[in-house]
Amino acid sequence: MGFVINYAHRGASGHCPENTLAAFAKAIDLGATGIETDVHMTKDGRLVLIHDASLKRTTGINAYVKDLTLDELKAADAGSWFHKDYKGETVPTLEELLDFVRTKDVMLNLELKSGIVQYPGLEEKTVETVRRYKMDDRVIISSFNHYSLVKVKQIAPKMKTGILYSEGLYEPWVYARRLGASALHAAHYAVLPEFVQAARAVDIDYTPFTVNDAGVMARLLAAGVAGIITDYPDRLAALLSLKGS
Ligand code: G3P
Ligand code: MG
């Protein structure tokens, strides 16, 4: 087994409020070698890291990201919903994350949330920001919106992209090649060992999400996946160290 990327899903979101700097720092402490996060855009065009299009679930504020300026969004408490110890965590900007990981040896999986809200220029701004930080070779951009992935490849042909899907896509490695993608980011239950092998044969990686059960992790590692996205990077790190990977 080669090197398998241990992606912390929304940071170490099993331990900390998702998509906060606390969750990203915790991920690295727990042995993650990658961070997965979700990218949206504010009313004033700033890229921010939050899972939902709305702030309701993780800050209590009944508003959409697209309708708030960055200053307004930064006033929201993104930590207390998880635990009072995290009161004062804010919704980070993409730049804050890039500043944080600059000196750390981790990969980044930026998921463009262009499903519910179509943010004008989301793809261009994400590529521009990654390039400004010279992190192109440490980033893979994924999305459930595959039009966004095609756009990314048009803007930045060398940028790696990953196709997100949940179930039953027929021969997705053929589709991935057609889109110029590097990887399939599939729901773990849609990943069979023969799929991983067929994808590998045409140079496409599998990186399943969201895998929190050690037994499922072990099955996927045996199948030869290139990475796993988990809320518990500590669990995956323990398995990988047992296997000497
Ligand atoms: O990128 C993997 C995973 O994050 C996709 O689903 O809804 O958790 O963003 P979601
Ligand atoms: Mg995500």
Side-chain angles (χ1 to χ4, degrees):
M1 185 170 61
F3 181 76
V4 175
I5 304 174
N6 179 351
Y7 279 108
H9 179 238
R10 312 179 194 175
S13 59
H15 301 273
C16 293
E18 64 186 56
N19 282 327
T20 59
L21 291 177
F24 301 144
K26 186 74 171 179
I28 290 171
D29 289 349
L30 294 178
T33 50
I35 290 172
E36 187 270 355
T37 186
D38 307 292
V39 184
H40 289 257
M41 194 190 292
T42 62
K43 186 178 171 184
D44 50 347
R46 301 294 299 276
L47 301 179
V48 291
L49 309 176
I50 182 170
H51 180 268
D52 303 356
S54 156
L55 278 83
K56 182 73 181 160
R57 180 176 60 87
T58 54
T59 75
I61 292 173
N62 198 11
Y64 281 85
V65 175
K66 71 176 175 57
D67 295 327
L68 298 181
T69 63
L70 181 62
D71 281 353
E72 288 166 339
L73 184 137
K74 275 290 186 187
D77 175 357
S80 294
W81 72 276
F82 186 86
H83 192 280
K84 61 177 170 41
D85 288 355
Y86 294 99
K87 182 175 164 53
E89 285 294 326
T90 63
V91 176
T93 61
L94 174 58
E95 284 152 325
E96 284 177 296
L97 173 60
L98 295 177
D99 277 328
F100 173 66
V101 298
R102 208 172 212 163
T103 55
K104 314 216 166 25
D105 191 16
V106 284
M107 299 290 292
L108 284 183
N109 173 196
L110 304 178
E111 182 189 345
L112 301 185
K113 286 293 189 195
S114 44
I116 297 171
V117 176
Q118 308 294 313
Y119 299 102
L122 179 68
E123 297 82 4
E124 287 86 348
K125 283 195 180 188
T126 302
V127 167
E128 182 278 315
T129 308
V130 169
R131 280 182 168 162
R132 179 154 37 88
Y133 279 77
K134 301 192 183 358
M135 286 198 196
D136 315 34
D137 56 345
R138 287 168 57 182
V139 166
I140 183 162
I141 295 179
S142 64
S143 188
F144 285 104
N145 183 338
H146 304 165
Y147 288 89
S148 278
L149 300 179
V150 170
K151 213 173 199 178
V152 165
K153 293 301 282 189
Q154 285 167 349
I155 304 162
K158 288 190 177 154
M159 188 74 75
K160 286 188 176 171
T161 58
I163 292 174
L164 274 161
Y165 72 95
S166 289
E167 53 190 80
L169 195 57
Y170 184 70
E171 295 186 345
W173 46 91
V174 176
Y175 178 59
R177 294 288 304 196
R178 181 169 163 234
L179 270 58
S182 308
L184 293 161
H185 290 202
H188 65 81
Y189 45 78
V191 180
L192 300 180
E194 54 268 37
F195 295 175
V196 179
Q197 293 314 311
R200 195 83 303 284
V202 291
D203 210 21
I204 300 290
D205 290 338
Y206 256 101
T207 302
F209 73 91
T210 301
V211 190
N212 293 334
D213 178 85
V216 178
M217 288 174 181
R219 172 180 80 74
L220 292 165
L221 292 176
V225 298
I228 290 180
I229 300 171
T230 176
D231 298 333
Y232 296 94
D234 43 334
R235 293 179 190 169
L236 182 54
L239 269 183
L240 290 171
S241 70
L242 276 179
K243 289 176 186 295
S245 169

